[in-house]
Amino acid sequence: MQNSSAPAGITRRHALTATGGALAAAALAQTAPAVAAEAQEADAIVVGHGLAGLVATAELAAAGRKVLLLDQEPEASLGGQAFWSFGGLFFVDSVEQRLMGIKDTRELAWQDWLGTAGFDRGVGDPTGQDYWGYKWAEAYVDFAAGEKRSWLAGLGVQWFPLVGWAERGGGLADGHGNSVPRFHVTWGTGPAVVEPFEKKVRAARAAGRVVFRFRHRVDGLVTTNGTVTGVRGAVLEPSTVSRGKPSSRTVVGEFELRAPVVVVTSGGIGADHDLVRRNWPDRLGTPPKTMITGVPAHVDGRMLAITESAGGRIVNPDRMWHYTEGLRNYDPIWPGHGIRILPGPSSLWFDATGRRFDTPDIPGYDTLHTLKSITDTGYDYSWFVTTQKIIAKEFALSGSEQNPDLTEKNVWKLLSRIWQTPEPIERFKKNGVDFVVATSLPELVRGMNKLTGDGLIRHDDLERQIQARDREIDNPYTKDVQVMGIRNALAYPGDALSRTASAHRILDPDAGPLIAVRLNILTRKTLGGLQTDLSGRVLSASGEPVPGLYAAGEVAGFGGGGLHGYRSLEGTFLGGCLFSGRLTGRAAAAATAT
């Protein structure tokens, strides 16, 4: 049954199942497939070839199990969203942290996690929405403070030595945010996180323990006497599109495959804006009419509906993670493709009308609080007003393709950031539709109003606010919280070296030109999902495991139906896929032991 603390308007038949999976649910209602079943034998079927699916498959294969790995996309998209990521991972008391003089502990990390997650839906009730998410969170923090780094290092993964400080929080020690830097960028970004698991799975394929089934779209789970015993669906026509590009949905056949275990690792809902809006909670304000997309089109949430139809329980569907600093990609790979600015602390942040945001709506501090502040304005965008000096030092772009130095492991390109603005930033400044560059504030205001067509920015108001902030730079102490944050960042060697410009006046001509950046809301992660126990078994509404059914990764809220609670500390999405894929793969292997 649904926990009594669920938000108003969210029923058991969640909005997550309203679209994307309607056809699949109808297909599941049939008592027999339309065509004869394809003859296949395996110990496990894994649905989804993203990072969690690869990790689960690798664990199953390592235990000697035969695995069928299915995905609706072609082979070019093996690795899923993780391939496109910046490769950030959350570690606690790591080698890199200690080298940077950061004092971190498991206790401090757990304090930060609890203050960020805000678990409040039946944590002590085995049928509560947060019961298993809390347990997964506790296990994950132990993992991040324990063997996570050594496990990955043993697979050849390495990290950039300067630890990043993401989600700095709302201002109180026991509230939201990271008390210390914990964002470890993988040397090689997302592809380097995917690589060791892809290698393991391909090696298992060569050994006959893994069979790929690309272009196999699952439309239903096969159930026999209450136990999930396989999958059925449509074979899509072959596709040669490159990674991330939308592929054809033309059906050329049907299939049915059987195995004693099915593991669902199909991802979230971020590409379906209607589905995002349908699940949008009141606490984040009015759902935006216009958003850009941080994930490929195949991240459609279909398997949530399909798995719920087979008896699985969806919890916390209203919890989601979307970014406020999105840029429209001038060279898109997927429809509506957006790129996030990973900002340092110095740009001034204004709403669409030119009013400066208050604390904690400061770049890099509290993503969802700022998202609510933006939606409360009635507009779907906001502004950074900044300088060339700031973007040269502080702007980074999310995504492996936007960081060729790190992705290609090119030390020379990486070092060039010391004396020049990174080339991807300059390309966006030149070609992106969201940038306004000017040599004076009046020129900047004209450009901002021309870009939006709204005419909302008034020169005198903007100038007054910028000058007030600039006066705070003259002393080593201040009442401006953002200036305090800049000085706090400069006290950390990692930020001083690579992520924070020296404190200066925005209107200082020597720091120019002036730059305004229109920021769009960027869809990204689903924080709720299928509720699972610590073995990755999908649970029913009564709290009992659905026999034969497992889930991992984003479709399971990265573990338990939401190990993040309401908010993320960053670097925890890839890590959640790794952790849940590993535990679930091992549990499924144990369940199929003979």
Side-chain angles (χ1 to χ4, degrees), residues 297-346:
H298 61 257
V299 184
D300 54 17
R302 294 182 73 256
M303 285 303 301
L304 284 158
I306 291 164
T307 309
E308 188 181 42
S309 294
R313 182 192 187 196
I314 295 171
V315 295
N316 303 311
D318 60 312
R319 292 180 183 170
M320 53 187 68
W321 189 256
H322 306 305
Y323 290 113
T324 51
E325 313 99 331
L327 301 175
R328 298 171 193 272
N329 195 338
Y330 65 89
D331 186 19
I333 296 171
W334 52 79
H337 189 177
I339 295 293
R340 183 200 177 199
I341 297 172
L342 303 171
S346 301

Side-chain angles (χ1 to χ4, degrees), residues 376-387:
D376 280 350
T377 68
Y379 297 91
D380 297 340
Y381 68 92
S382 58
W383 292 100
F384 276 168
V385 173
T386 188
T387 66

Side-chain angles (χ1 to χ4, degrees), residues 92 104-113 141 145 182:
V92 178
D104 199 8
T105 64
R106 189 266 179 202
E107 291 72 26
L108 183 60
W110 184 234
Q111 170 183 299
D112 288 347
W113 196 287
V141 172
R182 297 191 178 106

Side-chain angles (χ1 to χ4, degrees), residues 13 17 111 267 300 417 447 464 499 502 520:
R13 183 60 58 181
T17 67
Q111 170 183 299
D300 54 17
R417 295 191 185 209
R464 174 186 55 77
R499 292 289 287 144
S502 60
N520 308 276

Side-chain angles (χ1 to χ4, degrees), residues 43 78 104 121 144 182-183 192 233 474 512 558:
D43 298 307
L78 192 67
D104 199 8
R121 297 175 177 172
R182 297 191 178 106
F183 191 81
D474 289 341
F558 302 93

Side-chain angles (χ1 to χ4, degrees), residues 48 70-71 74 80 151 189 198 244 265 267 280 293 297 301 323 373 390 398 466 477 506-507 520 539 560 565 581 589:
L70 280 61
D71 201 282
W151 173 56
T189 66
E198 180 178 345
T265 61
W280 194 275
T293 311
Y323 290 113
S373 295
I390 290 172
S398 65
I466 295 173
Y477 38 84
I506 298 295
L507 297 180
N520 308 276
L539 304 178

Side-chain angles (χ1 to χ4, degrees), residues 89 91 95-96 143 146-159 186 192 196-197 578 582:
L89 291 170
F91 295 130
V95 172
E96 290 77 16
F143 179 59
E147 64 175 315
K148 179 182 177 184
R149 187 189 180 284
S150 61
W151 173 56
L152 292 171
L155 297 174
V157 184
Q158 298 177 305
W159 298 274
T186 301
F197 302 100
L578 292 167
R582 187 171 90 145

Side-chain angles (χ1 to χ4, degrees), residues 101-353:
I102 299 165
K103 297 179 181 179
D104 199 8
T105 64
R106 189 266 179 202
E107 291 72 26
L108 183 60
W110 184 234
Q111 170 183 299
D112 288 347
W113 196 287
L114 288 178
T116 296
F119 295 117
D120 61 1
R121 297 175 177 172
V123 173
D125 177 1
T127 65
Q129 294 189 78
D130 278 339
Y131 181 80
W132 286 105
Y134 182 97
K135 289 184 177 296
W136 271 91
E138 194 169 25
Y140 180 71
V141 172
D142 288 342
F143 179 59
E147 64 175 315
K148 179 182 177 184
R149 187 189 180 284
S150 61
W151 173 56
L152 292 171
L155 297 174
V157 184
Q158 298 177 305
W159 298 274
F160 186 58
L162 302 183
V163 183
W165 197 351
E167 284 297 299
R168 303 183 191 208
L172 296 177
D174 59 353
H176 169 58
N178 286 293
S179 297
V180 297
R182 297 191 178 106
F183 191 81
H184 297 66
V185 176
T186 301
W187 186 233
T189 66
V193 178
V194 172
E195 181 181 15
F197 302 100
E198 180 178 345
K199 284 183 176 179
K200 283 177 175 287
V201 171
R202 289 193 181 277
R205 180 193 193 186
R209 293 193 301 276
V210 171
V211 178
F212 288 130
R213 287 287 185 265
F214 303 113
R215 306 296 283 153
H216 279 52
R217 186 189 69 199
V218 173
D219 294 328
L221 300 180
V222 177
T223 303
T224 305
N225 297 324
T227 297
V228 172
T229 55
V231 298
R232 62 169 174 258
V235 179
L236 306 179
E237 68 177 352
S239 174
T240 59
V241 298
S242 57
R243 182 186 291 275
K245 291 284 188 180
S247 60
S248 164
R249 290 295 178 261
T250 300
V251 174
V252 297
E254 295 181 334
F255 70 90
E256 182 172 315
L257 301 168
R258 293 189 178 259
V261 161
V262 174
V263 183
V264 178
T265 61
S266 54
I269 68 172
D272 188 333
H273 289 191
D274 289 337
L275 200 49
V276 168
R277 293 188 189 96
R278 202 166 281 122
N279 286 279
W280 194 275
D282 290 342
R283 66 179 177 276
L284 293 182
T286 303
K289 295 179 180 178
T290 302
M291 296 180 283
I292 56 178
T293 311
V295 294
H298 61 257
V299 184
D300 54 17
R302 294 182 73 256
M303 285 303 301
L304 284 158
I306 291 164
T307 309
E308 188 181 42
S309 294
R313 182 192 187 196
I314 295 171
V315 295
N316 303 311
D318 60 312
R319 292 180 183 170
M320 53 187 68
W321 189 256
H322 306 305
Y323 290 113
T324 51
E325 313 99 331
L327 301 175
R328 298 171 193 272
N329 195 338
Y330 65 89
D331 186 19
I333 296 171
W334 52 79
H337 189 177
I339 295 293
R340 183 200 177 199
I341 297 172
L342 303 171
S346 301
S347 297
L348 297 189
W349 207 334
F350 296 89
D351 69 17
T353 68

